[in-house]
Amino acid sequence: MVRYITVKLLYMLFTLFILATATFFLMKVIPGNPFLGEKKLPTQIYNNIMEKYGFDQPLYKQYLKYMNNLIHFDLGTSMKSTHLTVNKIIHSSFSNSAKLGIAAIIVSIIAGIGLGIISALYHGKVIDHFTSILAVIGVSIPSFVIGPLLQYFLGVKLGWFHVAGLKGPLDYIMPTITLSALPIAFIARLTRSNMIEVMNAEFIKTAKSKGLAKSFIIYHHALRNAILPVVTYLGPMTANIITGSVVVEAIFGIAGLGKYFIDSVTNRDYTLIMGVTLFYAAILMIMRFCTDVAYVFVDPRIKLSGREGNA
Amino acid sequence: MASNTRDSLQAHSSSLEWRDDIFRPDDFEDIDVYRSPGPDLQRESISAWRDAWLRLKSNRMAMFWLTILLIIVIMSIVGPLLTPYDYYTNDLMNTNKPPSAEHWFGTDDLGRDMFERVWMGATISLRVGLFAALIDLFIGVIYGGIMGYFGGRVDEIMNRAAEILYSIPHILIIILLVVIMTPSLFTIVLALGLTGWVNMAWIVRGQIMQLKNMDYVMASRSLGASSARIIFRHLIPNTLGPILVTLMLTVPSAIFAEAFLSFLGLGVQSPAASWGTMISDARSAMTVFPWRLFFPAAFISLTMLAFNLFGDGLRDAFDPKMRK
């Protein structure tokens, strides 16, 4: 177990290192910088700024400095809001994104598994077809379509919710629906097909022949096996929610990390772009790592080894 | 005989209420040993492709969505010819007009005909989907083919590299690449292609690993065929089914990514308009001119729905497990 976790952690650090190096050099490849913008700065001021950000140094020195800062969790200073460090921006904006993201993850898991089980138990009945259609719609309609439509119908036409902002608990409803539509659909499909497969397995037939109660069979035999694979979806789901949050925060005017990322991209604020990219990647990798470890705990059949399966 | 068994089963199950699904009637097959024709040895042999096509054809859902897809493709070419307008000419006397006989889908804030613009968006989406899928195919098949065929050390190293790429949120890399290369249709397609092939590579790898130990590959090798010949003549043609299915399901995610970027203002530049740009533009005036939002929203959803559902049907057609 220790070996397994250590190897995984080392790979994670290695991936982050590669990503940091790649983004660093990508940013250097782009001609110009944010200070060569609209108005031309006096040469003296321009040189001072270059010095402040260390751009006057040779490339390898800049790289080493950047890496050294990274090791100390210092992501540098924003190039647009020069009084703010990237750490501060992430620190102040991430709480909004995290609240929304966690709400979306909880809703997706509960609703997705619930819908999946219901449609598997009523396999082939009307309710199954209904949830299947719902799931396909959830997969196919992009978040930037769901969001504005919700705003139009629930916010403007019916007036149930505020169109934008994140002031009261009710304001979480529309962004959360927008964010969780895709994961709900995925989890529901996954749970449904697993549940149908498990319900046809020999051991369920045995349990039925023994005369066990239906509810007992569903909870103790079927469900456990059917929702196992949902754990593996946790990693991709985080990726989906990160992607979604970028759009959702723009649509609903929420000052979260996604909004800062878009701002940083449109402003070409390179330090902020690099910082947020690394931060997002780190979150995603940590989630994937937790998924891998959790899976070992929930499924005792998986043998521990430092290497991944070579199926 | 047959009906007797079934009747007694049903009688049995109705007395025990919930147990109606312990054994279902189709768990049993009544075979009359003396009259059963046995395996049909006279059946005409059909190729795997024909087999898949027959199954696809009998799947009404898949055929329906294939028809919708074809209609969208045809309309993206023919649609613009049906009206006297074009997608880029401003008409400032007729801005934000609701749908009418002159402007079927209304006009936008610069008086441009929305019907024209919706089909312009379709062209862009379909083109992005097609080319991104082709790049995926090209990189994914070669990379996955090499991984699967050589295995061992080569496989391990290449797999690690693919995993690193896979563990970074795609949309972030795409955004980075697009910003660096200045936003345009070409850069979007390139960025999508460069990041999206990992899935395809893994599918090809898995298939090739299964196939490479087959007898006919051994036969070919013992006759002195080169690795390239074995990969391209034997292994890849036999994995075409799963490749096609993956390809079909790549298209909607590419369409999504392009619209997503355009929505954020990183996509195709004005006057060209993608569905994402139109939705983003329409949002500010959504309460007053909702049709500007509805038409592009409806068409992107319909297109993605059609690709996803047709892709599902295609997978069922190629998946031997679905065979009855």
Side-chain angles (χ1 to χ4, degrees):
Chain A
M1 190 73 200
V2 176
R3 191 183 132 77
Y4 176 80
I5 290 179
T6 336
V7 170
K8 282 266 165 205
L9 277 174
L10 284 179
Y11 273 124
M12 237 167 78
L13 286 177
F14 181 65
T15 311
L16 274 180
F17 166 75
I18 298 264
L19 181 65
T21 311
T23 39
F24 177 84
F25 286 105
L26 273 177
M27 294 296 144
K28 293 292 159 197
V29 168
I30 320 174
N33 61 49
F35 308 111
L36 286 171
E38 306 102 52
K39 344 174 244 203
K40 201 165 180 319
L41 291 164
T43 327
Q44 195 55 47
I45 297 179
Y46 181 77
N47 286 343
N48 279 341
I49 292 176
M50 290 292 104
E51 213 180 307
K52 182 189 170 193
Y53 286 96
F55 288 166
D56 53 343
Q57 309 251 329
L59 197 58
Y60 78 94
K61 271 196 182 155
Q62 289 183 38
Y63 176 69
L64 289 181
K65 187 161 176 277
Y66 175 68
M67 281 297 163
N68 186 38
N69 286 343
L70 267 190
I71 292 170
H72 298 98
F73 295 105
D74 177 6
L75 295 168
T77 311
S78 161
M79 288 185 179
K80 223 48 194 199
S81 333
T82 38
H83 55 289
L84 284 174
T85 62
V86 175
N87 290 34
K88 251 188 204 147
I89 292 178
I90 291 178
H91 183 78
S92 63
S93 63
F94 184 60
S95 67
N96 277 333
S97 305
K99 274 186 237 163
L100 259 188
I102 291 169
I105 288 178
I106 294 172
V107 168
S108 315
I109 291 177
I110 294 176
I113 292 181
L115 281 178
I117 291 173
I118 290 171
S119 49
L121 292 183
Y122 297 93
H123 181 35
K125 305 254 169 64
V126 180
I127 192 159
D128 179 26
H129 292 305
F130 181 72
T131 28
S132 300
I133 292 170
L134 215 63
V136 174
I137 289 178
V139 174
S140 300
I141 302 188
S143 46
F144 51 82
V145 172
I146 299 181
L149 288 181
L150 283 179
Q151 278 181 323
Y152 181 71
F153 287 108
L154 301 186
V156 178
K157 285 278 147 178
L158 295 170
W160 290 355
F161 305 106
H162 296 290
V163 172
L166 204 59
K167 294 194 185 73
L170 275 183
D171 294 339
Y172 279 89
I173 294 179
M174 290 202 296
T176 308
I177 297 177
T178 314
L179 260 185
S180 48
L182 180 70
I184 288 179
F186 259 112
I187 294 178
R189 283 175 96 174
L190 200 61
T191 313
R192 176 181 174 274
S193 59
N194 290 329
M195 191 79 179
I196 290 174
E197 210 179 299
V198 171
M199 287 304 272
N200 284 324
E202 300 291 327
F203 68 91
I204 295 288
K205 270 183 192 158
T206 313
K208 284 177 183 169
S209 327
K210 282 200 292 188
L212 294 178
K214 186 177 193 175
S215 56
F216 186 86
I217 295 177
I218 291 174
Y219 286 116
H220 288 258
H221 293 292
L223 204 55
R224 280 188 185 190
N225 288 289
I227 61 173
L228 264 184
V230 174
V231 176
T232 54
Y233 179 63
L234 228 57
M237 176 163 75
T238 317
N240 279 332
I241 286 181
I242 289 175
T243 311
S245 73
V246 174
V247 157
V248 166
E249 283 167 17
I251 292 175
F252 292 98
I254 297 162
L257 194 54
K259 197 164 171 297
Y260 273 101
F261 182 64
I262 294 308
D263 287 350
S264 72
V265 166
T266 39
N267 290 334
R268 315 237 152 174
D269 186 342
Y270 297 143
T271 31
L272 193 53
I273 296 181
M274 279 149 71
V276 178
T277 308
L278 279 181
F279 185 72
Y280 271 143
I283 291 180
L284 187 61
M285 272 180 250
I286 291 169
M287 282 305 275
R288 286 233 171 89
F289 171 73
C290 293
T291 311
D292 285 348
V293 175
Y295 205 69
V296 174
F297 279 110
V298 284
D299 192 347
R301 285 170 300 187
I302 290 188
K303 252 177 77 183
L304 289 179
S305 69
R307 293 182 35 179
E308 278 174 35
N310 1 286
Chain B
M1 262 303 273
S3 61
N4 272 343
T5 329
R6 220 159 272 158
D7 285 346
S8 63
L9 244 181
Q10 265 156 13
H12 178 66
S13 60
S14 62
S15 67
L16 281 166
E17 225 185 354
W18 67 264
R19 290 224 210 150
D20 55 345
D21 51 353
I22 296 185
F23 297 116
R24 283 170 314 196
D26 44 306
D27 284 345
F28 300 96
E29 200 178 345
D30 303 305
I31 297 178
D32 187 337
V33 184
Y34 300 103
R35 254 178 291 162
S36 160
D40 185 2
L41 299 175
Q42 300 302 311
R43 197 175 69 129
E44 184 189 353
S45 84
I46 46 176
S47 71
W49 287 95
R50 213 179 131 64
D51 193 27
W53 167 241
L54 286 177
R55 233 169 306 131
L56 187 66
K57 221 166 58 174
S58 63
N59 183 346
R60 292 226 300 276
M61 197 67 170
M63 289 316 277
F64 172 76
W65 289 106
L66 177 62
T67 320
I68 298 279
L69 271 185
L70 289 177
I71 292 174
I72 293 173
V73 172
I74 292 168
M75 277 307 283
S76 73
I77 301 163
V78 179
L81 306 174
L82 298 179
T83 65
Y85 311 102
D86 51 48
Y87 68 86
Y88 51 83
T89 307
N90 302 346
D91 178 3
L92 298 175
M93 300 301 287
N94 286 307
T95 57
N96 292 317
K97 285 273 185 284
S100 63
E102 290 104 65
H103 296 283
W104 296 337
F105 289 178
T107 61
D108 72 356
D109 54 342
L110 293 174
R112 295 173 293 198
D113 183 63
M114 282 301 288
F115 186 79
E116 290 287 326
R117 289 178 75 73
V118 162
W119 296 120
M120 170 71 192
T123 325
I124 289 179
S125 288
L126 292 173
R127 234 188 280 167
V128 167
L130 180 73
F131 287 115
L134 285 181
I135 297 181
D136 269 16
L137 178 77
F138 185 72
I139 305 180
V141 167
I142 292 179
Y143 199 93
I146 294 175
M147 272 200 293
Y149 183 77
F150 292 105
R153 201 105 204 106
V154 177
D155 176 42
E156 200 164 313
I157 293 167
M158 288 174 81
N159 208 1
R160 276 295 156 210
E163 249 170 37
I164 289 177
L165 183 59
Y166 190 74
S167 65
I168 305 162
H170 276 177
I171 212 77
L172 297 184
I173 315 178
I174 294 172
I175 290 177
L176 283 179
L177 288 176
V178 169
V179 170
I180 289 165
M181 301 185 290
T182 66
S184 75
L185 204 56
F186 176 74
T187 45
I188 291 176
V189 169
L190 199 65
L192 281 173
L194 288 179
T195 53
W197 52 268
V198 179
N199 235 349
M200 177 68 87
W202 277 338
I203 289 195
V204 173
R205 169 180 179 265
Q207 289 284 319
I208 299 261
M209 283 192 152
Q210 264 180 24
L211 288 172
K212 73 175 177 188
N213 293 323
M214 300 260 170
D215 288 340
Y216 66 87
V217 177
M218 197 78 85
S220 180
R221 189 173 297 138
S222 59
L223 288 171
S226 66
S227 292
R229 191 184 155 85
I230 291 176
I231 291 180
F232 289 104
R233 290 300 295 258
H234 295 295
L235 300 181
I236 287 176
N238 278 301
T239 61
L240 276 181
I243 289 177
L244 198 66
V245 173
T246 317
L247 212 56
M248 196 47 84
L249 294 172
T250 312
V251 175
S253 61
I255 291 179
F256 167 80
E258 182 276 323
F260 177 91
L261 291 173
S262 295
F263 181 84
L264 297 173
L266 296 169
V268 291
Q269 304 296 310
S270 186
S274 123
W275 286 329
T277 337
M278 283 182 244
I279 293 172
S280 161
D281 289 347
R283 261 183 351 107
S284 51
M286 159 177 89
T287 47
V288 208
F289 317 116
W291 63 88
R292 281 178 47 198
L293 174 67
F294 291 156
F295 287 110
F299 277 97
I300 189 171
S301 304
L302 189 71
T303 310
M304 286 185 53
L305 203 64
F307 272 108
N308 278 326
L309 285 171
F310 176 64
D312 280 356
L314 205 60
R315 181 174 46 208
D316 291 348
F318 275 110
D319 190 349
K321 271 191 271 179
M322 295 294 292
R323 258 171 234 197
K324 291 233 170 96

